[in-house]
Amino acid sequence: MDAAAQVDALLLLVSGALVFVIVPGFALLYGGMISSAGAVSAMRATLVGAGIAGVLFVIGGYGMLFGAPLIPHVTGVPGTVPGDAFALARACYAGAVCVLAVAIVASAVAPRITLRGWASFAVIWVVLVYLPAGYAVFNLMDGWASAAFGVIDFGGAIPVSVASAAGAAGILLVCGRQPSHEVRARRNVPIMAVGGALVWFGWFGLAIGSEGSVDGFTALIWVNTLTASAASTIAWVTVDRIMMRRPTVASAVCGAVAGLIAITPASGIITTGWALLLGALSGIACAVIVDVAARAQFGTPMVVVVIHLVGSLVGLLFIGLFANGTGMVYSGNFDQLGVQALATLIVAVWSFLISWGAAYVIQRTIGLTATTHISWRDDAPAEPADSPADATE
């Protein structure tokens, strides 16, 4: 292996390690939005889900993502992780991304479901949702989204954020709304802030690792990731101020995450100026829709669903308008916008239906919804519910 390949392999290994930083980050962030007990519950479910995803990826998941077609355009032949150094480094990064996708679902729904129910669901979701969706996007030679449709998704927003958010929504529909007698949870703001910082730091690994090599796009991806997340943070806080609410830690952290999610598919295909606009649009859209979705009374998990689904949708559609060369602004047509929207819709609907069906079956058999809710009492005072992210409990 020459020096350039060694550098690229090192980039993938470091990027994969940074992706693993995001995994506990989401557990602390989303669990901390509920309470200290919520953070513990989310961390437990995340670790169990990470173990399941890691084992499934090694024994067959890698082949289903990057192997020879088993079902053309849909999934590859299950197989073991390769022994070639660069391919093995790519497998390490891809495995970390698989774990991240499961962690998003886990950290969103952990306080609502039993551990045995979650473990059963995680197996089904990885095999029937994530791996086929990942093949569609990551397998550039045969995947129906990338190879057949021409979808642009640098960091895998479709199989990671879109599929995860839709999967969490399917579980929530089975679990039902939060009981009306429950009071608003007491958040642990320091835990939530630490989780948000870990997500922001680790996301640079997710973004850069998606390129897979050190080239002319690597620095652009890094700068665009920072730009979009920063702009989204300011946008969300500004929305709070305009709507006469006091901006909170939750506002800033959720704004940063919304920008990171939105820039993920577009980081290597738009200029930094467009990345600034994308971040602002994502922050505004997520802040407003989280406020509206709070009326559905599904609690903090609905915040997670909205941020990941809306943020991804904004980023994927933004590519159809402003991507260099293929976006409407440069090409004069809406072809790219159409395929971006169609691929997102297909994966979202598939993930939601499979997740709802799996959750329903688990609920009727071994049980899914937790019968004993976590303690809502906390020594720290609750933060006032004066922002969209805070108003959901």
Side-chain angles (χ1 to χ4, degrees):
M1 186 167 62
D2 59 23
Q6 290 178 340
V7 171
D8 294 341
L10 178 61
L11 174 71
L12 286 168
L13 292 174
V14 173
S15 296
L18 288 175
V19 171
F20 275 115
V21 173
I22 308 174
V23 173
F26 272 135
L28 296 176
L29 171 59
Y30 296 141
M33 286 182 179
I34 298 174
S35 66
S36 298
V40 173
S41 176
M43 185 64 74
R44 181 183 66 169
T46 296
L47 293 175
V48 171
I52 292 172
V55 170
L56 291 176
F57 186 84
V58 171
I59 64 176
Y62 179 84
M64 293 181 69
L65 281 177
F66 298 108
L70 175 62
I71 302 175
H73 309 307
V74 176
T75 187
V77 178
T80 57
V81 176
D84 173 72
F86 179 79
L88 186 59
R90 183 179 67 169
C92 293
Y93 172 79
V97 175
C98 177
V99 169
L100 173 61
V102 176
I104 294 172
V105 185
S107 57
V109 303
R112 303 295 310 278
I113 62 179
T114 63
L115 187 61
R116 66 177 180 274
W118 161 245
S120 302
F121 176 87
V123 173
I124 298 171
W125 190 83
V126 170
V127 174
L128 296 184
V129 176
Y130 177 78
L131 293 176
Y135 184 89
V137 172
F138 296 139
N139 197 311
L140 303 181
M141 302 301 295
D142 187 61
W144 62 263
S146 56
F149 283 18
V151 169
I152 298 174
D153 186 357
F154 264 76
I158 291 176
V160 177
S161 290
V162 172
S164 298
I171 295 176
L172 291 179
L173 187 62
V174 174
C175 291
R177 294 184 173 90
Q178 294 277 36
S180 58
H181 67 271
E182 288 182 352
V183 298
R184 186 176 67 86
R186 293 181 177 272
R187 294 171 182 80
N188 190 310
V189 177
I191 287 180
M192 187 174 61
V194 170
L198 291 176
V199 171
W200 203 342
F201 174 70
W203 208 273
F204 286 91
L206 176 65
I208 295 174
S210 64
E211 179 64 10
S213 62
V214 179
D215 54 27
F217 292 97
T218 308
L220 175 65
I221 292 172
W222 198 100
V223 171
N224 282 350
T225 301
L226 173 62
T227 301
S229 58
S232 183
T233 302
I234 299 302
W236 192 308
V237 170
T238 302
V239 168
D240 275 356
R241 180 54 65 190
I242 291 174
M243 298 183 72
M244 305 302 292
R245 288 190 293 256
R246 180 175 62 85
T248 63
V249 172
S251 305
V253 172
C254 288
V257 172
L260 293 171
I261 293 169
I263 194 59
T264 297
S267 56
I269 198 66
I270 61 175
T271 63
T272 303
W274 290 129
L276 186 67
L277 176 61
L278 172 57
L281 291 176
S282 176
I284 294 170
C286 289
V288 172
I289 297 179
V290 160
D291 201 20
V292 174
R295 301 172 186 174
Q297 297 182 356
F298 281 100
T300 298
M302 186 55 67
V303 176
V304 181
V305 171
V306 169
I307 291 176
H308 284 268
L309 192 58
V310 174
S312 296
L313 184 62
V314 171
L316 289 162
L317 297 183
F318 196 88
I319 292 173
L321 297 175
F322 302 107
N324 291 332
T326 60
M328 184 274 296
V329 170
Y330 299 96
S331 65
N333 60 67
F334 292 93
D335 294 347
Q336 190 67 50
L337 180 65
V339 298
Q340 298 288 123
L342 181 59
T344 303
L345 178 63
I346 290 173
V347 171
V349 171
W350 174 255
S351 180
F352 177 81
L353 292 177
I354 293 296
S355 300
W356 178 85
Y360 182 83
V361 171
I362 294 171
Q363 178 79 306
R364 298 298 179 181
T365 53
I366 64 175
L368 178 73
T369 306
T371 56
T372 301
H373 296 280
I374 62 174
S375 173
W376 301 112
R377 297 188 61 82
D378 200 305
D379 293 333
E383 196 172 2
D386 54 3
S387 74
D390 289 338
T392 57
E393 291 291 336

